Every structure is written in C-alpha cells, then in structure tokens.
C-alpha cells in the first residue's frame, strides 16, 4: 500500500516548533508602514517552504518584486501563543471537552495557578477582553495543531510584527514605578525594597509671630522663583529659600490685616487680599504696589491666578474674576456659596476653577508635581500631615510636630519640599516627595540642603 505522506515524513524530518513559528509568521511591514526606520537594509526574499526539485531551474527575482524589510523587530504579545509557555488561561468547558467528552489534561489547570497568573500579567500585561479573546484563539489553534499529524505547523505564532509595544508591558519588567503594585499586585513584592522613606521631622523651622489661627485665611504661598510669601498681621514678608534673606514687602497699617497672598505663575507679582475687602497687586522685585481693586464688601481670604486673570473669594460669599489688563475692577462674578469662600484653585489647563467653603475636617490638600502622591494637613487631635499614594490612597507617612491645626500648606518649585504653617506661629519645612526624574543641576530649590535650623521670618 502506498503511503505518500508517510514516505514524505521519512525523507524530511519534521521541523522544530521554533522553525514552524518562523515559517508561518506573517510578513513584517514594509519600510513605508514602519515608523522611525532610518537604516537601509539589504534586499531579502523569503525562501520557499516547499523543496526545490533539481530538474526545475530557480527563477531569479526581479528587483521590482523584491521586498525590502526593515531591520527593526518589535514583538506583539497580543497574538502570542501563550500555550507554548504553559501560561494560557484555562479554556472554557465547551472548548476543553473533546470528541469523547473527556476534559483537557491537567496542564491547563497548571496555567490557572496563582504563580502562572501573576507571571502572565507581568509578561503580557493585564488581561483585557481583547487580549483574552486573542489568547483563547491562540490556545484553540495550538490545541488543533497538537491533534494534527506530526510536522504540521502550528497556527498560533509567537512572533508578530507591530508598530508599538504597550507601555505597561515594557515597564513591568525593567522599571520600578509606582503603578506596578496596582497593575500586578504581589508580583514585585519579593524584591525586598520597602516603601520610600520619608523623614518624620522637619529639617527647618521658622518662627512666624502673629501667624493667625483662622481656617478661612490663606497666608502662605511659594513662588516659581523660590520665594515664600507670608502674611503676618498687617504685613507681608518675603523669604528667599536660597539665601534665607527676609524682605518686608508691605505694611497695610493699623486699620487693616492681611487675609490672603497668592503668587502669579511667573513669580514676579503677588496678590494680597485684605480684611477690608481690597485686592492689591504688588511687584515683588521692586516692592511696589501696582494696583488696588475694591470690589468685595468683606474680607478676601482666597486668591488664585490663571495667567492674567486673578480670582478672589470673600466672606461676602462671592467670587470675582479680575483681569489685570482691564480698567474695570472685575470682569465677572460667581455666586452660589452659602458661606465664606475659603479656598480657590485653577486647574492646570486654566479651564476650570475649584472653590471651597466651610469644612473643618481636612485643612489643606496638595498634589505632588513629580509622582502620584498627595499630602493633606489636619487639625484636632493630632495636627498631623499625611502623605498618601494615589490611587490606592495608602498612607506613606504621618508627620507630626505642630501644636495647633495645620492650616497653611505650600510646595516648593521643584516639588520635593512642603512648608506647613499653624497657629503655633511656626513654619516647618519637610522633605516628603522624590526629586523629578529629569531634574537639572541648576534646580531652583535650595532648601533642604541645610541642616536643621530655627530662625525668625521677621
């Protein structure tokens, strides 16, 4: 009896699984569809998978029919044959049942173990519906290939060409970012590296006499030029973080008090809100008042800049928008608060304004500029400062030292240092956030380099 197929396998040994994958891989994209390909590569023609017969002359490929391949190979794990690594998810019941009703072997159960689940997540990223579907298709193809006669190439392919690899999949193996615990819980816990250590005591303390213990006031702000503005009584003082030099900016007189201070984004102009409802604009470089706007009927306790637009919140329950380029005192008015406005903050894109009213549980909130963390300040009973990791909202550190509720909070220009103020008439400086990943050597921040010291701001 003639068995052509059997004779063919005896003459030619079956290729290995890696050879089958290479033979059945799809063609890579041409240089026109491959981004950022600048290196010229030699012409390459794919060898035929069928054996050539000596009697048939090989036809030379014309230059027009040759395909130019890029030298850049980017694997796509989306269409990977996970079953080859024994990391494929367990098939559904109707897929595992064979013709005789028997279920799949215990190898599929191994793939569902916690170790395989975590390893698969670290290698190929979290399971999404499209990824699960492609993995199931790959498993189905590999299962059918296993049932086929020896030598038949598997339909599932390890190597695929793709323009981009998912960012999380690249970072999972080679970085130590803060997102890993949320994406792959428990995968990286065996590295032995504990949480980031944060100093539990301030490295510098400034005595600030007459710093008021009033929840509705905002008396501390840090400029982009690394100058701290503090309102003490009826005066505003400027403290240079690099030189520790203190400058008295203004004195409102005995019949008025400072209720809020706010730096413009460029760091050269300071807005001052007063107890009499005035909003003053000062040039900090020349210590000269530029403009005074008298539109509020009561004290101004909150200020926020958005380019040339200054927003002010008052005890009269209103929010006014002042355009410092216009002659009018204000260009628009917002009403809606039923009590004194004590907090204002513009979004980073300057499209939305957040305002706050009476809430005495949390005194202040501020986001880190460098990492996904935030800091909150509190009052009774511990007067603590808490550093949180976002989005898990797990506590990284709890800082104590103030004897009154911590009402004032500002962040340094480089995002590493915070300053807190309280009714105990002290300003405390803490190193809580890590440095930027691409920080230049001429960083604006000079604070933190000195040892613990205590001095007066005036």
């Amino acid at each position: 009896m003639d068995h052509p197929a059997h004779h063919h396998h005896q003459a030619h040994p079956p290729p290995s699984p890696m050879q089958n994958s290479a033979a059945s891989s799809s063609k890579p994209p041409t240089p026109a569809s491959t981004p950022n390909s600048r290196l010229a590569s030699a012409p390459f023609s794919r060898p035929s998978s069928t054996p050539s017969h000596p009697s048939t002359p090989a036809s030379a490929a014309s230059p027009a029919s040759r395909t130019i391949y890029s030298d850049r190979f980017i694997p796509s794990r989306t269409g990977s044959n996970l079953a080859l690594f024994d990391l494929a998810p367990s098939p559904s019941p109707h897929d595992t049942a064979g013709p005789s009703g028997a279920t799949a072997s215990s190898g599929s159960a191994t793939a569902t173990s916690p170790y395989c689940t975590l390893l698969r997540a670290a290698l190929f990223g979290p399971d999404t519906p499209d990824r699960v579907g492609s993995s199931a298709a790959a498993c189905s193809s590999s299962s059918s290939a296993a049932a086929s006669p020896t030598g038949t190439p598997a339909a599932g392919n390890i190597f695929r060409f793709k323009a981009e690899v998912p960012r999380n999949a690249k970072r999972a193996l080679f970085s130590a970012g803060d997102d890993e615990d949320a994406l792959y819980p428990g995968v990286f816990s065996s590295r032995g590296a504990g949480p980031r250590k944060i100093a539990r005591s301030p490295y510098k303390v400034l005595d600030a006499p007459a710093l008021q213990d009033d929840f509705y006031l905002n008396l501390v702000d840090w400029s982009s030029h690394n100058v701290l503005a503090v309102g003490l009584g009826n005066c505003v003082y400027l403290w240079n973080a690099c030189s520790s030099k203190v400058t008295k900016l203004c004195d409102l007189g005995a019949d008025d008090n400072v209720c809020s201070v706010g730096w413009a984004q460029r760091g050269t102009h300071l807005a001052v809100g007063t107890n009499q409802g005035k909003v003053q604009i000062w040039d900090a470089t020349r210590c000269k008042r530029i403009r005074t706007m008298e539109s509020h009927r009561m004290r101004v306790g909150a200020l926020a800049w958005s380019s040339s637009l200054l927003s002010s919140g008052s005890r009269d329950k209103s929010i006014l928008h002042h355009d410092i380029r216009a002659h009018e005192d204000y260009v628009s008015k917002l009403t809606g608060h039923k009590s004194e406005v004590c907090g204002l903050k513009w979004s980073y894109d300057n499209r939305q304004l957040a305002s706050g009213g009476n809430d005495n549980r949390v005194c202040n909130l501020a986001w880190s500029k460098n990492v996904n963390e935030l800091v909150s300040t509190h009052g009774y009973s511990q007067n603590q400062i808490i550093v949180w990791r976002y989005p898990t909202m797990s506590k990284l550190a709890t800082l104590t030292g103030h004897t009154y509720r911590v009402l004032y909070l500002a962040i340094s220009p480089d995002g590493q240092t915070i300053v807190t103020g309280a009714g105990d008439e002290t300003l405390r400086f803490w190193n809580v956030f890590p440095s930027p990943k691409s920080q230049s050597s001429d960083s604006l921040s000079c604070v933190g380099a000195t040892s613990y010291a205590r001095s007066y701001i005036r």
Side-chain angles (χ1 to χ4, degrees), residues 112-173:
T112 61
S113 65
Y115 171 77
C116 290
T117 302
L118 294 176
L119 182 59
R120 184 172 64 251
L123 291 174
F124 306 110
D127 288 336
T128 56
D130 56 341
R131 187 182 298 276
V132 172
S134 61
S135 300
C139 296
S140 176
S141 301
S142 61
S143 300
S144 61
S148 60
T150 306
T152 304
N157 186 14
I158 296 178
F159 300 110
R160 296 287 180 93
F161 289 89
K162 191 177 181 182
E164 183 180 357
V165 178
R167 181 180 179 184
N168 288 338
K170 294 186 290 184
R171 292 182 67 252
L173 295 179

Side-chain angles (χ1 to χ4, degrees), residues 236-305:
V236 176
Y237 294 89
L238 305 180
W239 180 76
N240 190 301
C242 291
S243 63
S244 297
K245 180 182 178 181
V246 178
T247 303
K248 184 178 180 179
L249 178 66
C250 65
D251 189 337
L252 302 181
D255 58 344
D256 205 352
N257 286 315
V258 179
C259 294
S260 58
V261 293
W263 285 102
Q265 281 90 340
R266 294 183 179 180
T268 56
H269 290 80
L270 181 72
V272 178
T274 74
N275 190 59
Q276 295 183 354
K278 299 177 183 179
V279 177
Q280 300 179 354
I281 309 296
W282 287 78
D283 186 343
T285 57
R286 298 182 297 167
C287 293
K288 181 179 180 180
R289 185 178 61 190
I290 299 175
R291 186 174 181 180
T292 300
M293 295 166 283
E294 303 180 9
S295 303
H296 287 288
R297 302 188 309 271
M298 306 180 75
R299 69 178 184 180
V300 179
L303 296 168
W305 285 89

Side-chain angles (χ1 to χ4, degrees), residues 150-443:
T150 306
T152 304
N157 186 14
I158 296 178
F159 300 110
R160 296 287 180 93
F161 289 89
K162 191 177 181 182
E164 183 180 357
V165 178
R167 181 180 179 184
N168 288 338
K170 294 186 290 184
R171 292 182 67 252
L173 295 179
F174 306 109
S175 67
D178 295 332
D179 304 341
E180 294 173 350
D181 291 338
L183 290 176
Y184 319 115
V187 176
F188 301 93
S189 59
S190 60
R191 284 188 255 180
R196 178 169 52 86
K197 294 184 179 180
I198 299 176
R200 296 306 197 266
S201 58
Y203 65 85
K204 189 177 187 64
V205 176
L206 290 178
D207 286 329
L211 184 62
Q212 299 186 50
D213 181 29
D214 193 327
F215 179 81
Y216 292 93
L217 305 186
N218 293 271
L219 299 176
V220 178
D221 197 20
W222 210 326
S223 77
S224 59
H225 287 181
N226 211 13
V227 178
L228 190 70
V230 184
L232 300 177
N234 54 7
C235 300
V236 176
Y237 294 89
L238 305 180
W239 180 76
N240 190 301
C242 291
S243 63
S244 297
K245 180 182 178 181
V246 178
T247 303
K248 184 178 180 179
L249 178 66
C250 65
D251 189 337
L252 302 181
D255 58 344
D256 205 352
N257 286 315
V258 179
C259 294
S260 58
V261 293
W263 285 102
Q265 281 90 340
R266 294 183 179 180
T268 56
H269 290 80
L270 181 72
V272 178
T274 74
N275 190 59
Q276 295 183 354
K278 299 177 183 179
V279 177
Q280 300 179 354
I281 309 296
W282 287 78
D283 186 343
T285 57
R286 298 182 297 167
C287 293
K288 181 179 180 180
R289 185 178 61 190
I290 299 175
R291 186 174 181 180
T292 300
M293 295 166 283
E294 303 180 9
S295 303
H296 287 288
R297 302 188 309 271
M298 306 180 75
R299 69 178 184 180
V300 179
L303 296 168
W305 285 89
S306 173
S307 185
S308 59
L309 188 70
L310 173 64
S311 302
S312 59
S314 171
R315 178 177 274 185
D316 61 14
K317 309 173 186 178
S318 66
I319 300 173
L320 300 181
H321 297 313
H322 314 269
D323 191 338
I324 61 176
R325 302 168 299 180
H327 294 288
E328 299 82 3
D329 278 354
Y330 67 95
V331 293
S332 62
K333 181 178 182 179
L334 300 178
T335 58
H337 279 281
K338 297 181 180 180
S339 61
E340 181 174 359
V341 180
C342 61
L344 288 176
K345 187 69 174 180
W346 279 97
S347 61
Y348 286 108
D349 57 3
N350 293 326
R351 299 178 62 182
Q352 293 177 320
L353 175 68
S355 62
N358 185 15
D359 186 349
N360 55 12
R361 291 186 302 275
V362 177
C363 300
N364 259 304
L365 283 174
W367 286 93
S368 169
K369 301 177 181 179
N370 307 328
V371 291
N372 282 340
E373 296 174 6
L374 67 154
V375 61
S376 61
T377 66
H378 305 264
Y380 181 83
S381 61
Q382 298 182 16
N383 306 311
Q384 73 270 35
I385 303 155
I386 302 178
V387 184
W388 309 83
R389 172 174 291 170
Y390 182 84
T392 60
M393 295 308 295
S394 58
K395 288 184 182 181
L396 293 178
T398 299
L399 314 176
T400 57
H402 283 288
T403 56
Y404 279 64
R405 54 183 179 173
V406 187
L407 298 177
Y408 310 112
L409 172 67
I411 301 182
S412 62
D414 65 353
Q416 299 183 62
T417 304
I418 65 171
V419 59
T420 56
D424 56 10
E425 298 184 346
T426 62
L427 296 174
R428 299 173 184 262
F429 295 80
W430 317 75
N431 280 324
V432 295
F433 296 127
S435 61
K437 296 180 179 179
S438 58
Q439 183 178 355
S440 59
S441 58
D442 56 344
S443 172

Side-chain angles (χ1 to χ4, degrees), residues 3-137:
H3 300 282
H6 181 70
H7 176 74
H8 173 75
H9 284 293
Q10 288 180 346
H12 301 278
S16 64
M18 297 297 289
Q19 291 174 337
N20 289 338
S21 301
S24 61
S25 61
S26 58
K27 288 186 178 181
T30 60
S33 62
T34 304
N36 302 329
S37 178
R38 298 183 179 180
L39 300 177
S41 55
F44 174 77
S45 60
R46 184 178 300 278
S48 175
S49 58
T50 57
S52 302
H53 299 282
S55 60
T56 305
S59 59
S62 62
S65 64
R66 292 179 180 176
T67 304
I68 305 299
Y69 295 97
S70 171
D71 61 340
R72 184 182 182 191
F73 175 78
I74 303 178
S76 170
R77 300 185 180 93
T78 304
S80 300
N81 184 0
L82 305 183
L84 184 64
F85 301 97
D86 200 18
L87 293 176
S90 57
S92 58
H94 64 272
D95 292 335
T96 58
S100 60
T103 58
S105 62
S106 60
S108 60
T110 306
T112 61
S113 65
Y115 171 77
C116 290
T117 302
L118 294 176
L119 182 59
R120 184 172 64 251
L123 291 174
F124 306 110
D127 288 336
T128 56
D130 56 341
R131 187 182 298 276
V132 172
S134 61
S135 300

